[in-house]
Amino acid sequence: LAKQAEQAFTDAVEQELFEAARVQFMGARSGQMKTLQKLMGGLSKEDRPAGGKKLNEVKNRIQAAMESASQRLDVAGTGGSKSGPMIDATLPGERRHLGRVHPITQTIEHLKDIMGRLGFEVVEGPEVEDTWHNFVALNIPEDHPARDPLDNFYLSVAGQTSVDANAHAARLLRSQTSTVQIRVMENRQPPIRIISLGRVYRPDEADATHFPMFHQMEGLWIDTHVTMAQLKSVLRMFATSYLGADVTIRFRPSFFPFTEPSVEADFLWNGNWIEFGGAGMVDPNVLKSVGYDPEQVSGFAFGLGVERLCMRRHHVEDIRDLYRNDLRFLHQF
Ligand code: FA5
């Protein structure tokens, strides 16, 4: 019997055969060992000790064969038998790495939300622009230093080695979102109350507060009686909504070709004034360039640096951290 059992367990190359052999030889109710055990009752008193010893020997051999077959099947099982890999439910689970929305994208959504509550509609404009929308319509004439190829990313034309920045067909990566003001005014009549958020590009050297690609939020409000006082209220309300009621902001007189008068807006951060945007009353020349009558309508515009707002709110001291793609940094948002 022991030999038969040993053979059966050696032949058990898969779980079902092993199970059949186990039931046949060691089954608790009608296994062959059980039958053998029952036969012991029929032995005479003198034969019983020797019979018992023999029975134990057989039982041990069958158990040993069964155990080694069981181990062999377990090991093979982890390699992917029909019943699948062995799972150790006591091992700690694997953490899945979930992606996060980039802090600047989160900021853009937040800014849209605040400005939406102030009644501003979101519009979009292209990143590759022509000189009309980026300069001319914004009252930036041909000889203006802002058009210098060294201060802009002009796109080269196939077959030409140098860029003619004044050519009518010249194209560039927009250097400001003010281009969208023109696109909206060209296609709509007042009243207009819009914002536009997106990337802008300048060959600025990267430092703690500058990056060659950054985002701006442009705002434009045109109606019959829009005033500078409304501009300052909107920027103040926006700044306290996004940065908190305790933020200190100031307006400085400034100059932009497309607004008159113009201001720059700063917030106080760790004892320093940081500029977060430019703004002003839309220049009558700009209103004329899109076919509006400056006697009938007026308006204000602003352009804010999205990265600097995000940095102030989340205490990011270096703009470059936003674009290093270091997951340890990004996972904090
Ligand atoms: C402008 O771009 C004007 N178009 C703003 C404007 C719009 C004025 C409408 C009037 C009416 P300025 O170049 O100052 O202005 O840029 C605006 C803001 O963008 C800055 O205050 C700053 O917050 C941010 N900014 C400018 N350059 C960089 C840079 N290299 N990296 C990160 N942020 C920048």
Side-chain angles (χ1 to χ4, degrees), residues 111 114-115 217 234-242 304 309:
L111 302 187
I114 293 172
M115 296 309 293
M217 174 168 75
V234 165
L235 286 181
R236 248 180 222 293
M237 266 193 280
F238 161 74
T240 48
S241 292
Y242 183 64
L304 314 183
L309 290 165

Side-chain angles (χ1 to χ4, degrees), residues 28-295:
R29 255 189 251 147
S30 51
Q32 293 193 17
M33 268 309 292
K34 202 76 196 163
T35 318
L36 212 58
Q37 232 168 0
K38 281 182 195 154
L39 289 178
M40 287 282 293
L43 287 185
S44 65
K45 222 178 172 184
E46 306 83 73
D47 289 338
R48 222 176 266 170
K53 204 172 156 213
K54 201 83 192 146
L55 187 76
N56 268 342
E57 270 174 37
V58 174
K59 192 173 154 192
N60 287 343
R61 277 176 64 182
I62 298 180
Q63 248 165 3
M66 193 165 90
E67 231 159 74
S68 80
S70 158
Q71 271 173 18
R72 177 163 45 78
L73 284 173
D74 270 352
V75 173
T78 55
S81 80
K82 256 197 210 157
S83 52
M86 222 178 47
I87 293 171
D88 183 351
T90 63
L91 282 174
E94 266 181 41
R95 276 184 59 191
R96 276 172 190 260
H97 290 286
L98 283 183
R100 305 265 171 113
V101 176
H102 191 276
I104 288 299
T105 313
Q106 289 185 33
T107 304
I108 287 173
E109 289 310 311
H110 196 163
L111 302 187
K112 282 183 187 169
D113 191 50
I114 293 172
M115 296 309 293
R117 279 186 265 133
L118 290 173
F120 285 79
E121 172 202 349
V122 179
V123 298
E124 298 211 353
E127 286 179 30
V128 173
E129 267 296 4
D130 50 39
T131 50
W132 166 257
H133 291 94
N134 203 84
F135 302 121
V136 184
L138 286 166
N139 204 26
I140 305 175
E142 245 180 41
D143 53 356
H144 196 283
R147 298 180 64 151
D148 195 318
L150 293 176
D151 291 330
N152 294 283
F153 288 112
Y154 283 91
L155 305 188
S156 56
V157 180
Q160 290 180 14
T161 45
S162 67
V163 169
D164 179 2
N166 289 324
H168 193 64
R171 294 279 181 280
L172 73 161
L173 297 179
R174 66 179 176 190
S175 59
Q176 51 185 350
T177 44
S178 299
T179 52
V180 189
Q181 290 179 35
I182 303 300
R183 289 189 174 273
V184 171
M185 290 191 283
E186 280 173 337
N187 292 303
R188 290 198 204 174
Q189 288 303 311
I192 289 171
R193 205 190 314 181
I194 57 98
I195 52 162
S196 189
L197 288 119
R199 294 192 187 96
V200 300
Y201 303 84
R202 295 180 190 176
D204 287 349
E205 198 161 325
D207 63 21
T209 52
H210 293 85
F211 208 68
M213 183 283 302
F214 60 101
H215 295 72
Q216 285 187 338
M217 174 168 75
E218 193 76 14
L220 176 71
W221 187 343
I222 306 277
D223 209 331
T224 43
H225 289 103
V226 180
T227 65
M228 187 83 184
Q230 284 168 318
L231 165 62
K232 290 174 74 178
S233 307
V234 165
L235 286 181
R236 248 180 222 293
M237 266 193 280
F238 161 74
T240 48
S241 292
Y242 183 64
L243 298 174
D246 57 343
V247 68
T248 309
I249 68 168
R250 73 171 183 192
F251 296 102
R252 270 181 297 121
S254 185
F255 175 81
F256 294 101
F258 35 93
T259 47
E260 181 59 35
S262 306
V263 289
E264 263 165 329
D266 305 329
F267 52 64
L268 197 57
W269 192 17
N270 297 338
N272 297 317
W273 289 105
I274 309 279
E275 179 197 314
F276 68 96
M281 301 307 292
V282 179
D283 193 290
N285 281 344
V286 175
L287 296 175
K288 277 189 217 148
S289 78
V290 295
Y292 288 180
D293 179 357
E295 300 294 326

